[in-house]
Amino acid sequence: MADCIFCRIAAGQEPCVRVWETDRVLAFLDIAPVHYGHTLVIPKAHYDTLLDLPDELWLEMGRVCRRVAQALREALFARGFNIGMNNFEAAGQVVFHAHLHVIPRFLSDGLHFFPQGRYLPGDMEKVGQRLREALAREGA
Ligand code: AMP
Ligand code: ZN
């Protein structure tokens, strides 16, 4: 897609700090890192979200994430890492070219990504039931 920043990066038409690539996947540094080394893993071809990605490509992105994560531990002494993916506007997706964030983490770095809550009595089982029904309909 001509107007997609990540397509332009994948095509070499926009600069990026590349860290790894395969024929179909590119890993490069996020321009606004949570921590130094925060890396984005993208398919070179355009897909809007995870729901559009072919299974094989999703698997390859996962493999690249794992290599990048290992490199973050070795080269930048990250003690852990988060893999994140924002899908659709409600989840904070800004660039609609599917991408995974690999975020290096350090002990006591003070980051808490998601505040957690509690179910009201009985709701947990109802929510599980609705999801099971949807999954059965999809044949997933
Ligand atoms: P999101 O769609 O919310 O997952 O966020 C998109 C991510 O892409 C943000 O973390 C941005 O900092 C990053 N980003 C946007 N443009 C560039 C760019 N030209 N080079 C590197 N990272 C970018
Ligand atoms: Zn794109």
Side-chain angles (χ1 to χ4, degrees):
M1 279 176 88
D3 60 345
C4 170
I5 179 71
F6 287 178
C7 279
R8 291 202 303 273
I9 286 174
Q13 294 161 354
E14 291 279 344
C16 76
V17 175
R18 186 185 70 89
V19 295
W20 184 254
E21 69 184 304
T22 67
D23 286 348
R24 299 192 302 170
V25 174
L26 173 67
F28 59 98
L29 294 184
D30 192 305
I31 204 165
V34 173
H35 285 305
Y36 276 27
H38 176 170
T39 298
L40 299 176
V41 174
I42 67 167
K44 290 183 178 175
H46 185 93
Y47 297 93
D48 282 0
T49 74
L50 168 60
L51 299 187
D52 305 302
L53 281 171
D55 285 352
E56 274 304 310
L57 196 49
W58 173 234
L59 184 65
E60 192 165 329
M61 288 169 68
R63 280 198 209 104
V64 171
C65 276
R66 200 148 54 179
R67 293 196 71 156
V68 168
Q70 189 60 32
L72 290 171
R73 282 166 55 81
E74 287 173 27
L76 300 183
F77 309 105
R79 298 293 299 275
F81 55 89
N82 291 107
I83 305 288
M85 187 173 197
N86 302 324
N87 287 282
F88 301 101
E89 186 183 352
Q93 186 174 8
V94 174
V95 177
F96 275 75
H97 179 129
H99 55 280
L100 286 159
H101 295 255
V102 188
I103 301 172
R105 296 297 305 273
F106 301 89
L107 290 174
S108 308
D109 65 13
L111 292 177
H112 299 284
F113 284 105
F114 297 111
Q116 287 179 266
R118 288 174 189 275
Y119 284 102
L120 294 172
D123 279 357
M124 194 169 176
E125 187 45 49
K126 284 185 204 152
V127 170
Q129 177 67 24
R130 286 179 70 165
L131 288 174
R132 285 192 297 273
E133 285 167 9
L135 286 161
R137 277 195 301 275
E138 278 176 27

